[in-house]
């Protein structure tokens, strides 16, 4: 793997990840896990968990972590620049065009068509991560503790609307404590 491959890979992700960082997750997974085999699906899921827990956009954090994993600090810089450069260019151009043509029917139609596609991309990434967390890979089996943590976290987030960072930290502490108590770790 060369740095130029890493840069081009994340530049493609940055150019095609409409809808924000979560919409980029399926693209990152496709490039990093399926096409280039730079990480396993389990490593990718761990990466997403770490990227979610750290401050900053999840796509940028993911690029940085993949870059570090593959080529150290220089890889992190290259992957991060790759994912950011298209976004900087597109946001600048689209911001100008939106300001100038925001009342145009065609633009409103395009935005209306993009919204459900973005939701589908986010849901697809969520389902993939959920299935891996609860049902594992081909060699692991159903994990009822992961399903219980998922269910409780979902209920708490929907009903109480706490700070998601606090929920993430508590879920990690509770999961770690239970696994440590059961002697799994």
């Amino acid at each position: 793997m060369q740095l130029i491959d890493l840069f081009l890979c994340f530049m493609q992700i940055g150019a095609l990840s409409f809808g924000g960082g979560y919409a980029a997750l399926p693209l990152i997974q496709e490039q990093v896990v399926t096409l280039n085999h730079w990480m396993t699906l389990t490593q990718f899921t761990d990466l997403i968990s770490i990227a979610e827990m750290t401050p900053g956009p999840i796509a940028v954090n993911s690029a940085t972590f993949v870059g570090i994993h593959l080529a150290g600090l220089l890889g992190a810089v290259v992957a991060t620049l790759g994912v950011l450069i298209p976004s900087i260019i597109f946001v600048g151009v689209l911001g100008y065009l939106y300001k100038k043509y925001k009342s145009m029917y065609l633009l409103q139609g395009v935005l209306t068509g993009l919204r459900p596609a973005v939701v589908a991309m986010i849901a697809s990434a969520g389902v993939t991560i959920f299935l891996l967390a609860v049902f594992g890979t081909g060699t692991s089996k159903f994990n009822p503790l992961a399903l219980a943590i998922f269910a409780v976290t979902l209920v708490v987030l929907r009903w109480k609307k706490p700070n998601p960072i606090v929920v993430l930290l508590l879920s990690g502490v509770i999961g770690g404590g239970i696994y440590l108590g059961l002697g799994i770790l």
Side-chain angles (χ1 to χ4, degrees), residues 8-29:
L8 292 175
C9 170
F10 276 97
M11 191 166 179
Q12 181 181 3
I13 292 166
L16 299 176
S17 57
F18 294 95
Y22 291 106
L25 293 180
L27 299 173
I28 297 172
Q29 178 186 342

Side-chain angles (χ1 to χ4, degrees), residues 101-127:
Y101 300 109
K102 65 183 170 188
S103 60
M104 188 176 174
Y105 287 121
L106 177 61
L107 180 61
Q108 292 304 318
V110 169
L111 293 175
T112 300
L114 282 175
R115 286 183 202 114
V118 168
V119 171
M121 292 177 75
I122 294 169
S124 174
V127 168

